[in-house]
Amino acid sequence: MARPALSLRNVSKTWMPEGRSPVIALRDFDLDVAPGEFVVFLGPSGCGKSTLLYMIAGLEETTGGVIEQNGRVVTEPSAERGLIFQEASLFPWLTIADNVAFGLSIQGVLPQKRKEMAADILRSVGLGDMLDKKPDELSGGMRQRAACARALAMRPSVLMMDEPFAALDVQTRAKMQDFLLQIWRDSKASIILVTHSIDEAVSLADRVVVFTSRPGRVKTIVPIDLPRPRPTRDPRYHEYRDMFAELLADEVDRAFAEQETR
Amino acid sequence: MSIPVGSQDDKPAARVPTLSPGTRRMLASIGWSLVSLGLFAGMWEALWAIGAINPLLLPPPHMFFSDIARTLTFFDHKARMIGSQGGGSAIMGLLTTIGWTTFRVVAGLSIGFALGVLCGALIHYVRMFRNLVQPLILMLAPISPVAWLPVAIFVFGVGDVPAIFLVFVTVFFMIVLATVAQIASVPKNYLHVARIMGANERQTFWRVILPAILPSLFMTLRLNLFAAWMVVLIAESVGVGIGLGQITGMARATFNAKLVFFTMVIIGVLGFTFDWALRKIQQKMLWWVPPGQGAM
Ligand SMILES: Nc1ncnc2c1ncn2[C@@H]1O[C@H](COP(=O)(O)OP(=O)(O)OP(=O)(O)O)[C@@H](O)[C@H]1O
Ligand SMILES: [Mg+2]
């Protein structure tokens, strides 16, 4: 592999919630993400997937190990590493276009220029006629696309998404997956997607990183060796699905067993 | 209701030209306000008609409105001093009185709002300031404005300042506490987005936190507007010169029930008008908040 876009070495995180006992969310997590790679995080609930994304984004500090982007240690947030949440989190007081232009205006891009850039990006995500709409006038899927546009406007080299489609209905979800593949190809960014959906993982990923239950570590990394678009009728597709289902069931069982012995 | 057939975006057949929904909503709300008032006044009049209430103590609306010319003379400062009569200057007197009271309310409220938001922001951002000031504010907040009245007079003497100070004290603590609470409840993801986009603390405050809390700040302001109108009368009734509170004080001293109720009506109308104006400003400024949300 050429130099990784992102490299995690022994990354650990222990939460110290006030008045409660510490929670070891992640322990010695190792991972390299290649430039332009599509990685999916799959793991039982509470195993630290969101925590890891926040640390890669620079929003939370690690309590051990190092995160590097293109060889530089991550210490603070940067628009180089975009993050998209389950809720679109668009600012309700800005129009869609102004939301997308927000980061550009922070960077000091002039109003006329950033207006054009925002319009371009919104057109490319199919929201060309929504520029002057308020966020709450858009459907959930459209809002999530606008949130992608906002992140893409900063030309990130890594785009992270924390269960971005979990709140959407099944049809919209399928559309959004196509959409995601399209922006992935166009932007050439590496993508890290957190999901609970095994289907989503098999349909989208170059590699699927399966987490152990808490404390989260890499249980196994599975490259998906299927052409795109993924042949959902292919027996191999189903083999992958069954494999992930088993891996996850293992971890969930382990988590439950642990809770009972406590 | 017709059953929708065919494509979704069929425009409904052009209706008979009618009022726009906005106008209709406004007319309806005016209508209901009138009905609400009318019912209240009607009940009062009915109680009077069957002799259930003493018109000297609780004169029904038609009485204190019919005597308006005489009532108005009480508002005329010069007339009251010299004892002369004059319709034109009575109206002027009324307007001057309203003007002074309004000025005190607006001044106290504006200062209280500006300093309250500033103080709330400082409590949020400056730990030292928080440690020093927050306990004090929590201790002072429950003290009734009435208790501040003597303090205001000791410190500022009589005049406008103690009245403005009293309004200020009434609204200030609530606005500080509301600001602190609202800043703390700004969705974390908004702040995350701002940080990822590279916004510094200043930019985050002005461009994310402030707009995020503005709707609830406005609500706090509107609630405090009523408190301000209530308390300004107390301050004025102990003598700060011309003002509606002074009139009610005088009415109480002279057992003039008609004057009391007339003044109450004026205050009610003023408070209502101010709230309405604030609501209009709110709708203009907070264009993104859908009507009906945040009690617009
Ligand atoms: N801010 C925090 N303070 C304290 N503990 C936290 C905090 N955030 C997360 N945790 C704990 O860290 C662990 C991992 O949480 P995290 O949200 O990363 O899991 P997750 O894998 O994203 O789960 P899910 O799939 O349910 O979203 C959990 O036990 C959680 O309770
Ligand atoms: Mg999560």
Side-chain angles (χ1 to χ4, degrees):
Chain A
M1 187 149 73
R3 187 166 78 170
L6 205 59
S7 104
L8 317 184
R9 287 286 163 272
N10 296 322
V11 173
S12 306
K13 178 72 178 184
T14 306
W15 289 107
M16 303 278 196
E18 249 172 74
R20 280 181 293 142
S21 46
V23 178
I24 305 174
L26 286 161
R27 184 184 283 161
D28 297 332
F29 199 98
D30 280 305
L31 181 71
D32 282 331
V33 177
E37 192 181 17
F38 199 132
V39 173
V40 168
F41 286 179
L42 194 62
S45 187
C47 68
K49 304 180 295 292
S50 300
T51 303
L52 188 55
L53 285 199
Y54 277 68
M55 290 194 298
I56 299 173
L59 294 166
E60 288 289 348
E61 285 176 6
T62 61
T63 49
V66 188
I67 300 174
E68 286 181 357
Q69 181 183 25
N70 298 324
R72 267 167 302 145
V73 177
V74 169
T75 52
E76 56 178 13
S78 147
E80 275 281 279
R81 299 181 305 279
L83 178 56
I84 290 166
F85 310 92
Q86 184 171 336
E87 290 84 30
S89 304
L90 298 168
F91 299 140
W93 56 87
L94 297 179
T95 62
I96 295 301
D98 287 342
N99 261 291
V100 172
F102 179 82
L104 298 170
S105 92
I106 295 287
Q107 289 189 339
V109 179
L110 295 176
Q112 194 50 42
K113 176 85 177 137
R114 64 179 188 246
K115 217 171 149 183
E116 285 164 18
M117 290 169 74
D120 278 348
I121 296 162
L122 279 166
R123 264 194 294 278
S124 77
V125 302
L127 295 177
D129 41 7
M130 299 291 163
L131 300 184
D132 296 322
K133 289 269 194 287
K134 302 189 263 184
D136 64 0
E137 288 172 308
L138 268 57
S139 69
M142 287 173 166
R143 277 205 290 270
Q144 210 50 293
R145 273 190 277 169
C148 287
R150 175 169 67 179
L152 289 172
M154 311 301 284
R155 306 198 163 285
S157 57
V158 178
L159 187 57
M160 293 172 280
M161 307 186 161
D162 195 355
E163 303 182 41
F165 311 141
L168 304 179
D169 61 85
V170 181
Q171 288 83 1
T172 314
R173 222 178 149 128
K175 283 261 171 260
M176 289 299 286
Q177 291 171 1
D178 294 341
F179 159 76
L180 184 52
L181 288 174
Q182 175 213 319
I183 62 168
W184 173 54
R185 275 188 211 108
D186 294 348
S187 70
K188 301 189 172 62
S190 312
I191 290 191
I192 303 178
L193 175 83
V194 171
T195 181
H196 277 137
S197 156
I198 290 175
D199 262 311
E200 202 158 272
V202 182
S203 321
L204 296 175
D206 288 328
R207 285 192 300 158
V208 178
V209 179
V210 182
F211 282 53
T212 65
S213 57
R214 202 176 67 225
R217 315 182 55 162
V218 178
K219 182 177 173 76
T220 166
I221 298 181
V222 182
I224 306 287
D225 196 9
L226 291 173
R228 285 196 171 84
R230 295 281 148 86
T232 50
R233 287 170 213 282
D234 193 313
R236 282 181 300 162
Y237 184 94
H238 293 276
E239 276 164 32
Y240 279 117
R241 285 190 44 176
D242 296 345
M243 178 171 73
F244 289 126
E246 236 164 78
L247 287 169
L248 279 183
D250 264 9
E251 284 311 311
V252 175
D253 286 348
R254 212 170 60 103
F256 270 96
E258 223 161 82
Q259 264 171 12
E260 270 160 27
T261 54
R262 236 176 257 159
Chain B
M1 276 287 290
S2 64
I3 299 149
V5 242
S7 88
Q8 288 273 309
D9 28 9
D10 266 348
K11 289 271 179 317
R15 292 210 200 90
V16 195
T18 103
L19 300 166
S20 78
T23 322
R24 218 176 316 148
R25 208 172 328 121
M26 198 179 76
L27 286 178
S29 105
I30 292 176
W32 281 111
S33 306
L34 289 179
V35 171
S36 153
L37 273 178
L39 267 177
F40 179 69
M43 259 154 47
W44 193 347
E45 296 281 359
L47 283 175
W48 166 78
I50 61 169
I53 53 175
N54 181 347
L56 278 180
L57 300 180
L58 297 172
H62 82 266
M63 280 188 150
F64 60 80
F65 278 126
S66 66
D67 226 3
I68 215 159
R70 233 179 66 76
T71 306
L72 274 181
T73 59
F74 289 99
F75 289 88
D76 188 350
H77 235 55
K78 290 187 210 77
R80 211 181 322 127
M81 302 290 175
I82 312 162
S84 71
Q85 294 267 1
S89 72
I91 297 280
M92 275 313 292
L94 175 65
L95 292 180
T96 318
T97 312
I98 291 178
W100 275 107
T101 302
T102 306
F103 162 71
R104 291 176 192 124
V105 166
V106 170
L109 201 59
S110 317
I111 300 173
F113 187 71
L115 289 186
V117 172
L118 179 72
C119 193
L122 284 178
I123 285 179
H124 179 80
Y125 280 108
V126 187
R127 173 161 318 159
M128 194 62 181
F129 189 82
R130 170 168 61 233
N131 293 341
L132 287 177
V133 169
Q134 192 153 355
L136 187 66
I137 286 187
L138 286 172
M139 233 145 28
L140 294 181
I143 297 175
S144 161
V146 179
W148 284 100
L149 187 56
V151 181
I153 293 174
F154 297 157
V155 176
F156 300 110
V158 285
D160 274 320
V161 186
I164 294 173
F165 173 78
L166 213 63
V167 173
F168 166 81
V169 151
T170 308
V171 303
F172 175 74
F173 298 110
M174 290 316 294
I175 291 175
V176 173
L177 295 177
T179 306
V180 173
Q182 282 150 19
I183 292 181
S185 67
V186 172
K188 285 281 165 296
N189 284 352
Y190 289 178
L191 304 178
H192 290 327
V193 169
R195 282 182 69 195
I196 290 173
M197 297 299 180
N200 58 28
E201 290 265 352
R202 242 220 2 265
Q203 289 166 321
T204 306
F205 180 77
W206 287 106
R207 303 183 54 176
V208 179
I209 293 180
L210 202 59
I213 67 174
L214 210 52
S216 24
L217 278 187
F218 239 103
M219 205 54 227
T220 314
L221 185 64
R222 273 177 60 197
L223 292 177
N224 278 292
L225 176 74
F226 291 133
W229 276 105
M230 288 179 202
V231 84
V232 77
L233 289 211
I234 300 176
E236 287 179 350
S237 68
V238 297
V240 293
I242 310 166
L244 288 168
Q246 172 212 24
I247 302 281
T248 49
M250 184 172 70
R252 186 186 55 204
T254 57
F255 266 120
N256 190 338
K258 286 179 190 169
L259 186 53
V260 169
F261 285 112
F262 182 73
T263 317
M264 280 167 73
V265 168
I266 289 182
I267 295 163
V269 170
L270 279 176
F272 182 88
T273 312
F274 264 74
D275 184 57
W276 176 83
L278 264 186
R279 221 156 49 208
K280 284 291 151 208
I281 299 174
Q282 190 178 14
Q283 281 166 9
K284 276 265 149 30
M285 255 175 81
L286 309 180
W287 60 273
W288 69 90
V289 181
Q293 204 169 302
M296 306 256 276

